[in-house]
Amino acid sequence: MPNGYNGRILRVDLTRGTTGVEAPDEALYRRYLGGGGLGAYYLLKEVPRGADPLGPDNRLIFMTSPLNGLPLSGVNRFSAVAKSPLTGGYGEAEAGGFWGPELKMAGFDGIIIQGTASSPVYLYVHDGEAELRDATAYWGQLADSVQHGLEEELGDQRIRVLQTGIAGENGVRYAAIVNQQKHFNGRAGLGAVMGAKKLKAIVCRGRKAVEPADPDGFKAVLRWFRAAYDRDADPRHLLGTAGIVRSLDAGGMLPTRNFRDGSFEQAAAISGEALRDTILVNRGTCHGCAVACKREVEVPEYGVRAEHGGPEYETIAAHGSLLGVGDLKQLAGANLKCNQYVLDSISTGVVIGFAMECYEKGILSRDDLGFDLPYGSQEGALRLIDLIARREGIGDLLADGVKVAAAKLGQGAESFALHVKGQELPMHEPRGKRSLALAYATSATGADHMEAPHDPFFQSLDAHGTSALSALGLIEPVEMLDTGPKKVKVYYYAQLVWGLYDTIGMCDFVGEPINVLTVDKLTDAVRAVTGWPVSLFELIKVSERANNMKRAFNVREGFTMADDTLPDRLFEPLENGALQGTALDRADFARMLELYYEMAGWDKQTGAPTPAKLAELDLDWFQAELADVG
Amino acid sequence: MPNGYNGRILRVDLTRGTTGVEAPDEALYRRYLGGGGLGAYYLLKEVPRGADPLGPDNRLIFMTSPLNGLPLSGVNRFSAVAKSPLTGGYGEAEAGGFWGPELKMAGFDGIIIQGTASSPVYLYVHDGEAELRDATAYWGQLADSVQHGLEEELGDQRIRVLQTGIAGENGVRYAAIVNQQKHFNGRAGLGAVMGAKKLKAIVCRGRKAVEPADPDGFKAVLRWFRAAYDRDADPRHLLGTAGIVRSLDAGGMLPTRNFRDGSFEQAAAISGEALRDTILVNRGTCHGCAVACKREVEVPEYGVRAEHGGPEYETIAAHGSLLGVGDLKQLAGANLKCNQYVLDSISTGVVIGFAMECYEKGILSRDDLGFDLPYGSQEGALRLIDLIARREGIGDLLADGVKVAAAKLGQGAESFALHVKGQELPMHEPRGKRSLALAYATSATGADHMEAPHDPFFQSLDAHGTSALSALGLIEPVEMLDTGPKKVKVYYYAQLVWGLYDTIGMCDFVGEPINVLTVDKLTDAVRAVTGWPVSLFELIKVSERANNMKRAFNVREGFTMADDTLPDRLFEPLENGALQGTALDRADFARMLELYYEMAGWDKQTGAPTPAKLAELDLDWFQAELADVG
């Protein structure tokens, strides 16, 4: 087995209450690598067509990467994969923190969970062993209680706890999974899958060091990073992810009032600078990462302590500008609620924004809600989080996401339900960052900002004097509002890099094009750790393979080109800000989509990977499953 | 301008008798790189649809590579590019030797020649200068006379002379171009283009050293090569290219008697071992190359001296087994004639084999020929070379190649005319090496063994313990006779590597999968020399870009999927040897071809690159030229 891998994957059958170990061969590791690559492989192999996402046939898969556990910045993320209860299609979410590395050091490369427990359990993985234990005491508890309860029960403060929350227990379709209270596998509703399986938590503890095959080669990458990276000049360290609030606002791309506006009059008050100057107490980080982009804040009036972390950009926008809320302390409170219930704060914010617009339009009344809910209603926004997590009152409807809620409400609510394939939009504006139109429309998980870099990075020249991702031959800047072939090509390549990140556990705040760890140095790291003579070409093909598996999964589930669409709102002009009057054009978008399909090797009618693309990517084994589609 | 380039391309207008210098921008160099990449770019830009290959509108282009001139083994080849008089489509041929590096050191990255001189001239390029000089004295002379005459005229033994020969002067459609008498731009009839332009020779002399941008990085590649390469264990050094004769014969894949047979009873007598043990006097090499696969032989009875070089595998098979000739000394004589007339020895041999089969079948008689011509006729074979080069007697018909000759002769001769698109087959057997079926059928230049590695290299494990080209993720051996999706994929990737070699001036006897210089080390070399942060991914895309330009050129000239075919003989069973009874299957071949088109991003009806493929490769500028095709 190559270095970087344990060669062991933990198999857990919750119905039977058993655990076992599988040993994939080296070729499987090399072809699917880790994270979403290995995860998609097992999902495609094991979950039958039409399986209920909340039933025993669904798999919940956690996969690490060969780089997890090593002290290189930005390479310690892991992936959770399952059929999504939010979209009915492929579901994946990555998280940072310390749990993935701990799983590796505990002797496993991943965990595949099947079946459903009859009563709440948790999984305790430690030094090559695994056991299922009773979790009845933790069921219905907030995240911090579960964390501390498990630490106490196991008598070990150094365990790493991954858990689903009350939202997941209650089947909220955008329930998340969290580790150490503040690192989220946020999207696709995977917390609901975990809840439905009655698996409350997975605790990891390990002491097995990860040894690179070529220690000198790996040290060279570490040395290079130390020389290349200047933390004191990195806004992600200084200001956190919220450092972009003011520039997005100035550019007219800060999602505001349910994506009607692109500028928010209180943007400065919810900016990274304001956060730094008011509530920040610490800068947190993930395993081995010098960037330390995480925030830890204290807001006593909302009960927020440093251990709860602090709001990221997505949360700040989704619960701030999107809802017309300009009070940073209240946002820390909203963040705490999402964290404690273990909710995806993006979907939660978009759902609340949808409810506010319903209220404004008279589709939801004070009677329906139990309170008034105009834009800017801080109290109403917080109360809705409680109702959603507990599926109480109007929360029961909203817990299914904006797509389902809009369909039930009717009265034109679909036109301002901001989702793709059922997953709510992240806080990036496709009318400004045009490659996001393709990203949101074509991502297998629905609207997902982790699927492609944002356009502005392709406008400027980087430190090498060429465009970002220069190693791929992207040497020509492309205008932000461009929707022509050059934009489609840049998106196609950038998406392959983003997909690689999701497969290798790389953080896009540390990798290109945002920061300094180039795709070439990442390749060097993979070579040094595994000993395989891989090239960036091979790694990009690993990413493309993963991406095609995810698409193939959806095609088998009945998704078609018609599902690769965008909410109506994005075709309406922005009502304020620097891009006031700017909208996406439907014909333009259709052209982009068709060109992208052809570039990606996807059939223009069915959206399915062509036989040639499957063959190129060694996925011909799945061809028969697609033969009767479309 | 990045290191590795002069930033100067010499433009020669023979009609006007002028020379000038052009300075492409850096982006053009990075996107098209060199060799066939830059060559195809200029050909596509400058040669109008329907241009006469032998007329003034055709361009004759010579392009070096950023690595040319450096002391790394195998990286000193250059490309000649023109519209081919043999196929009417894209023509390209690479050559090693010393001329390409000398052109670089003389201060130019390439030469673009247009127009037609009114009387014979030669071009003298020296230390940044270029002049056209009278060549009347050299017209009609054999290659060694021209070489020595120019050395004497210029008073410099260190000039490097590239020339067309008597065959090119006479418009033989498979006339070659040679440098230093023994390094050939062999294929596609480019010598006839040079002859038609009345450009007898190009003499280079320069002293400008090529300096890598990162000298230490480049030295590291040199050190690695020295450590990795063991010349005394390399059959290419010990036995030359003819070292494969015996194993091909044993495998039933030695083209024999016009491709009817796969085994030749006198194979041992024409093997690399026999050559070493009898007529070899020296092992020659190209600029900076430690492999030294070239042969220098002496055969006084045929007038062969060391300066004339010696027969390579292609010549030995095309004039030996293919014609039923088992006399190595006669083969050295045939080689000398091809060299002195500057003929492509592959096409010449295939033409003679065709004539022998015509004689056997009564399509050509003793009266037509002037002599008998059964298989094995040594004297007849040599006489035919004279007649072809001078277009005398039957040679005038045969000088147009087997396609034209067969069409004129009729009587079923087409069925054993071994060509694709008009270019004669090299000495590798597609019934055994199945990826060659795609290589021969789809190459823009017609049947061309420089387009893809031979299958057997994918069967064995290499020194890394994985398949060759492991850096591309080709980690699974594929059976030699396999024609399924895995074979098509392996060919697709391998062809992209081969195309890269033709763009970067890399020799496939030194690069993977045959020898030790891995595609990753090649990438390191390009980075170190140019200073660009290129990855193998980008270099593979440069190759794909070049390949699509070549195909686009042919599509514009009217080539369709129907031209991507193979000679009838390959669908007939081999009549002897280890593969006796083995044939290609037409339905199988059609499936391979369609899958390959789809993989390559080519329209299955027209064979043209799709708009998406053109856009991905930054070739959308050529889209309009293809809009009215097919």
Side-chain angles (χ1 to χ4, degrees):
Chain A
M1 191 50 48
N3 293 49
Y5 291 100
N6 290 299
R8 302 169 84 232
I9 288 179
L10 181 61
R11 166 86 57 180
V12 178
D13 187 328
L14 292 169
T15 302
R16 298 179 180 191
T18 58
T19 66
V21 177
E22 297 177 7
D25 68 16
E26 180 167 350
L28 190 121
Y29 277 119
R30 185 155 168 192
R31 199 159 270 162
Y32 302 100
L33 206 60
L38 273 176
Y41 170 78
Y42 282 108
L43 202 74
L44 212 50
K45 281 274 185 189
E46 299 193 7
V47 174
R49 186 191 307 222
D52 176 5
L54 300 180
D57 282 347
N58 199 4
R59 298 289 187 269
L60 179 60
I61 301 170
F62 297 93
M63 283 291 162
T64 66
S65 123
L67 302 183
N68 280 178
L70 288 159
L72 177 61
S73 292
V75 301
N76 276 287
R77 291 168 71 79
F78 67 97
S79 296
V81 172
K83 184 173 180 181
S84 167
L86 188 58
T87 68
Y90 179 79
E92 178 181 331
E94 301 82 34
F98 298 84
W99 187 85
E102 196 76 20
L103 175 60
K104 271 282 284 292
M105 293 187 283
F108 297 97
D109 300 317
I111 308 176
I112 303 169
I113 297 153
Q114 62 198 62
T116 304
S118 52
S119 66
V121 294
Y122 76 93
L123 180 67
Y124 180 33
V125 183
H126 51 101
D127 297 319
E129 306 290 317
E131 54 186 307
L132 288 166
R133 297 172 64 127
D134 178 47
T136 311
Y138 305 111
W139 205 248
Q141 298 295 306
L142 294 173
D144 54 5
S145 299
V146 174
Q147 176 82 33
H148 298 309
L150 285 164
E151 287 168 356
E152 194 171 334
E153 176 186 330
L154 295 167
D156 187 348
Q157 297 293 310
R158 300 192 57 193
I159 57 170
R160 304 298 185 180
V161 176
L162 173 139
Q163 61 173 304
T164 186
I166 290 170
E169 295 173 13
N170 290 330
V172 177
R173 293 195 196 212
Y174 43 93
I177 295 171
V178 68
N179 74 83
Q180 297 301 99
Q181 298 192 61
K182 47 186 178 279
H183 303 283
F184 285 79
N185 301 95
R187 311 231 66 202
L190 303 183
V193 177
M194 195 163 168
K197 290 189 176 305
K198 290 203 163 53
L199 178 65
K200 182 63 188 175
I202 306 178
V203 177
C204 289
R205 184 78 170 92
R207 295 162 184 86
K208 189 167 180 286
V210 181
E211 302 287 353
D214 169 14
D216 289 340
F218 187 70
K219 277 181 205 148
V221 177
L222 291 180
R223 269 197 309 274
W224 174 87
F225 187 87
R226 275 197 298 270
Y229 179 65
D230 178 4
R231 181 155 92 167
D232 295 330
D234 184 359
R236 262 151 300 274
H237 174 69
L238 300 173
L239 302 176
T241 54
I244 59 174
V245 166
R246 296 202 308 185
S247 62
L248 286 181
D249 184 65
M253 291 181 283
L254 183 66
T256 301
R257 284 174 285 268
N258 207 28
F259 279 90
R260 281 202 310 227
D261 293 342
S263 175
F264 181 44
E265 55 283 0
Q266 298 175 80
I270 62 171
S271 66
E273 292 84 348
L275 193 154
R276 176 196 61 195
D277 296 340
T278 57
I279 60 178
L280 185 72
V281 294
N282 273 316
R283 292 179 172 89
T285 194
C286 299
H287 182 100
C289 187
V291 175
C293 71
K294 297 282 176 182
R295 305 293 94 168
E296 295 179 1
V297 304
E298 281 184 3
V299 184
E301 49 269 59
Y302 286 96
V304 183
R305 301 188 304 274
E307 71 165 302
H308 299 126
E312 308 242 355
Y313 165 72
E314 293 292 334
T315 310
I316 283 176
H319 294 261
S321 54
L322 195 78
L323 310 185
V325 171
D327 178 350
L328 197 53
K329 292 187 173 179
Q330 192 266 5
L331 297 184
N335 187 58
L336 178 68
K337 280 189 184 290
C338 289
N339 288 12
Q340 290 286 31
Y341 291 127
V342 198
L343 277 165
D344 173 14
S345 68
I346 297 174
S347 283
T348 305
V350 174
V351 164
I352 297 169
F354 169 78
M356 285 178 168
E357 189 159 344
C358 284
Y359 176 84
E360 186 187 66
K361 290 187 158 61
I363 299 172
L364 285 177
S365 67
R366 181 190 166 87
D367 282 352
D368 296 321
L369 293 159
F371 46 89
D372 288 312
L373 194 67
Y375 284 116
S377 168
Q378 301 190 195
E379 178 58 22
L382 291 179
R383 285 180 67 180
L384 270 187
I385 301 176
D386 294 324
L387 296 176
I388 287 167
R390 301 190 181 278
R391 277 193 177 271
E392 291 173 0
I394 192 71
D396 191 41
L397 173 74
L398 297 177
D400 286 336
V402 296
K403 180 184 178 186
V404 171
K408 285 187 180 164
L409 291 169
Q411 304 170 66
E414 284 93 344
S415 73
F416 55 87
L418 275 294
H419 75 90
V420 176
K421 299 184 177 68
Q423 173 142 281
E424 287 76 15
L425 256 65
M427 297 299 109
H428 303 276
E429 176 53 80
R431 282 166 290 191
K433 309 171 186 175
R434 292 286 164 91
S435 72
L436 284 174
L438 284 177
Y440 289 174
T442 66
S443 160
T445 59
D448 195 330
H449 68 299
M450 302 307 285
E451 290 295 314
H454 314 152
D455 301 46
F457 300 109
F458 292 104
Q459 290 198 294
S460 56
L461 299 179
D462 71 5
H464 306 293
T466 51
S467 296
L469 296 175
S470 173
L472 297 180
L474 295 174
I475 56 173
E476 195 180 11
V478 179
E479 287 300 320
M480 195 177 69
L481 297 182
D482 188 354
T483 54
K486 287 185 200 307
K487 173 59 62 72
V488 175
K489 180 242 173 101
V490 162
Y491 171 73
Y492 175 48
Y493 280 22
Q495 198 281 333
L496 291 172
V497 171
W498 245 231
L500 171 61
Y501 289 176
D502 292 345
T503 303
I504 199 69
M506 178 80 206
C507 176
D508 53 315
F509 297 149
V510 185
E512 286 182 296
I514 297 180
N515 219 314
V516 300
L517 190 74
T518 62
V519 287
D520 261 323
K521 292 293 171 187
L522 181 62
T523 306
D524 287 350
V526 176
R527 295 171 68 116
V529 171
T530 61
W532 290 325
V534 299
S535 67
L536 179 58
F537 180 90
E538 178 176 350
L539 293 180
I540 291 288
K541 288 296 170 185
V542 167
S543 165
E544 194 179 1
R545 182 175 296 124
N547 200 33
N548 277 271
M549 285 192 292
K550 297 169 190 179
R551 173 148 286 252
F553 184 91
N554 281 355
V555 170
R556 185 175 58 172
E557 292 296 333
F559 286 74
T560 69
M561 190 169 181
D563 296 294
D564 288 353
T565 186
L566 293 170
D568 290 344
R569 178 128 302 164
L570 301 182
F571 300 103
E572 299 164 4
L574 279 158
E575 294 189 8
N576 79 0
L579 294 176
Q580 186 175 10
T582 301
L584 292 180
D585 178 81
R586 287 190 191 272
D588 232 27
F589 170 66
R591 272 192 298 271
M592 288 177 86
L593 197 61
E594 187 171 320
L595 190 60
Y596 177 68
Y597 273 37
E598 197 169 77
M599 233 177 246
W602 295 346
D603 185 279
K604 281 190 276 187
Q605 306 306 316
T606 66
T610 62
K613 184 49 76 179
L614 291 176
E616 190 211 327
L617 298 171
D618 312 304
L619 296 174
D620 12 355
W621 55 267
F622 198 70
Q623 181 61 51
E625 296 268 358
L626 297 182
D628 61 340
V629 165
Chain B
M1 191 50 48
N3 294 50
Y5 292 100
N6 290 299
R8 303 169 85 232
I9 288 178
L10 181 61
R11 167 85 58 179
V12 178
D13 187 328
L14 292 170
T15 302
R16 298 179 179 190
T18 58
T19 66
V21 177
E22 297 176 6
D25 68 16
E26 179 167 351
L28 190 121
Y29 278 120
R30 184 154 168 190
R31 199 158 269 163
Y32 302 100
L33 206 60
L38 273 176
Y41 170 78
Y42 282 108
L43 202 74
L44 213 50
K45 281 274 185 188
E46 300 192 6
V47 173
R49 186 190 307 222
D52 176 5
L54 301 180
D57 282 347
N58 199 3
R59 298 290 186 269
L60 179 60
I61 301 169
F62 297 92
M63 283 291 162
T64 65
S65 123
L67 302 183
N68 281 177
L70 288 159
L72 177 62
S73 292
V75 301
N76 276 287
R77 291 168 71 79
F78 67 98
S79 296
V81 172
K83 184 174 179 180
S84 166
L86 188 59
T87 68
Y90 179 79
E92 179 181 330
E94 302 82 34
F98 298 84
W99 186 86
E102 195 77 19
L103 174 61
K104 272 282 284 290
M105 293 187 284
F108 297 97
D109 300 318
I111 307 176
I112 303 170
I113 297 153
Q114 61 198 62
T116 304
S118 53
S119 66
V121 293
Y122 74 93
L123 179 66
Y124 180 32
V125 183
H126 51 99
D127 296 319
E129 305 291 317
E131 54 186 307
L132 288 165
R133 298 171 64 127
D134 177 47
T136 311
Y138 306 111
W139 206 250
Q141 299 295 307
L142 293 174
D144 54 3
S145 298
V146 174
Q147 175 83 32
H148 297 311
L150 285 164
E151 288 168 357
E152 194 171 332
E153 176 186 331
L154 296 167
D156 188 348
Q157 297 293 313
R158 300 193 56 192
I159 58 171
R160 304 298 186 181
V161 176
L162 174 137
Q163 60 172 306
T164 187
I166 289 170
E169 295 173 13
N170 291 328
V172 176
R173 293 193 196 216
Y174 42 94
I177 295 170
V178 68
N179 75 82
Q180 297 300 100
Q181 297 193 61
K182 46 186 180 280
H183 303 283
F184 285 79
N185 301 97
R187 311 231 64 202
L190 303 183
V193 177
M194 196 164 168
K197 291 190 176 304
K198 289 203 163 52
L199 178 65
K200 182 64 188 174
I202 305 178
V203 178
C204 289
R205 184 78 170 92
R207 295 162 184 85
K208 189 167 180 285
V210 182
E211 302 288 354
D214 170 13
D216 290 339
F218 188 71
K219 278 181 203 147
V221 176
L222 291 180
R223 269 198 308 275
W224 174 87
F225 187 86
R226 275 197 297 271
Y229 179 65
D230 178 5
R231 180 154 92 168
D232 296 330
D234 184 359
R236 262 152 300 274
H237 174 68
L238 300 172
L239 302 176
T241 53
I244 59 172
V245 167
R246 296 202 308 186
S247 63
L248 287 181
D249 183 65
M253 292 182 283
L254 182 66
T256 301
R257 283 175 284 270
N258 206 29
F259 278 90
R260 280 202 312 226
D261 293 342
S263 176
F264 181 45
E265 55 284 1
Q266 297 176 81
I270 61 170
S271 67
E273 292 84 348
L275 193 155
R276 175 195 62 196
D277 296 339
T278 57
I279 60 178
L280 186 73
V281 294
N282 272 318
R283 291 179 172 90
T285 193
C286 299
H287 182 100
C289 187
V291 175
C293 70
K294 295 282 176 183
R295 306 293 94 169
E296 295 178 2
V297 304
E298 280 184 3
V299 183
E301 50 270 58
Y302 284 97
V304 184
R305 299 188 304 276
E307 72 164 303
H308 298 125
E312 307 244 355
Y313 165 70
E314 293 291 335
T315 310
I316 283 177
H319 293 261
S321 54
L322 195 78
L323 310 185
V325 171
D327 177 350
L328 196 54
K329 291 187 175 180
Q330 192 266 4
L331 296 183
N335 187 58
L336 176 68
K337 279 189 184 290
C338 288
N339 288 11
Q340 289 286 32
Y341 291 127
V342 197
L343 276 166
D344 173 15
S345 68
I346 297 174
S347 282
T348 305
V350 173
V351 165
I352 297 170
F354 169 78
M356 284 178 169
E357 188 158 345
C358 284
Y359 176 85
E360 185 187 66
K361 290 187 158 62
I363 300 172
L364 285 177
S365 67
R366 180 189 167 88
D367 283 352
D368 296 321
L369 294 160
F371 46 89
D372 288 313
L373 193 67
Y375 283 116
S377 166
Q378 301 191 194
E379 177 57 23
L382 291 179
R383 284 180 67 180
L384 271 187
I385 301 176
D386 294 324
L387 296 176
I388 287 166
R390 299 189 182 280
R391 277 195 178 270
E392 290 173 0
I394 192 70
D396 192 40
L397 174 74
L398 296 177
D400 286 336
V402 296
K403 181 184 178 186
V404 171
K408 286 188 180 163
L409 291 169
Q411 305 170 64
E414 284 94 345
S415 73
F416 56 86
L418 275 295
H419 75 91
V420 177
K421 299 184 178 67
Q423 173 142 282
E424 288 76 14
L425 257 64
M427 297 299 108
H428 303 276
E429 176 54 79
R431 283 166 289 190
K433 307 172 186 175
R434 292 284 164 93
S435 73
L436 285 174
L438 283 178
Y440 289 173
T442 66
S443 161
T445 58
D448 195 329
H449 69 298
M450 302 307 285
E451 291 294 315
H454 313 151
D455 301 47
F457 300 109
F458 291 105
Q459 290 198 293
S460 56
L461 299 180
D462 71 6
H464 306 294
T466 52
S467 296
L469 296 175
S470 173
L472 297 179
L474 294 174
I475 56 172
E476 195 181 10
V478 179
E479 287 299 319
M480 195 177 69
L481 297 182
D482 187 354
T483 55
K486 286 184 200 311
K487 173 60 63 71
V488 175
K489 180 243 173 98
V490 161
Y491 171 73
Y492 175 47
Y493 279 21
Q495 198 282 334
L496 291 171
V497 171
W498 246 230
L500 171 61
Y501 288 177
D502 292 346
T503 302
I504 198 70
M506 177 81 207
C507 176
D508 52 316
F509 297 149
V510 186
E512 286 183 294
I514 297 180
N515 219 313
V516 299
L517 190 74
T518 63
V519 286
D520 261 323
K521 292 294 171 186
L522 181 62
T523 306
D524 287 350
V526 175
R527 295 171 69 117
V529 170
T530 62
W532 290 326
V534 298
S535 67
L536 179 58
F537 180 90
E538 178 176 350
L539 293 181
I540 291 288
K541 288 296 170 185
V542 167
S543 166
E544 194 178 1
R545 183 175 294 124
N547 199 33
N548 276 272
M549 286 192 290
K550 297 170 191 180
R551 172 149 288 251
F553 184 90
N554 282 353
V555 169
R556 186 175 58 172
E557 292 295 333
F559 285 75
T560 69
M561 191 171 181
D563 295 293
D564 288 352
T565 186
L566 293 170
D568 290 345
R569 177 128 302 164
L570 301 181
F571 300 103
E572 299 165 4
L574 281 158
E575 293 188 8
N576 78 359
L579 293 176
Q580 186 175 9
T582 302
L584 292 181
D585 177 81
R586 287 190 190 273
D588 232 27
F589 170 66
R591 272 193 298 271
M592 287 177 88
L593 196 62
E594 188 172 316
L595 189 61
Y596 177 69
Y597 272 38
E598 198 168 78
M599 233 177 247
W602 295 346
D603 184 278
K604 281 190 276 187
Q605 305 306 317
T606 66
T610 61
K613 184 51 77 179
L614 290 176
E616 190 212 328
L617 298 171
D618 312 303
L619 296 174
D620 12 355
W621 54 268
F622 198 69
Q623 181 61 50
E625 296 267 357
L626 297 181
D628 61 340
V629 166

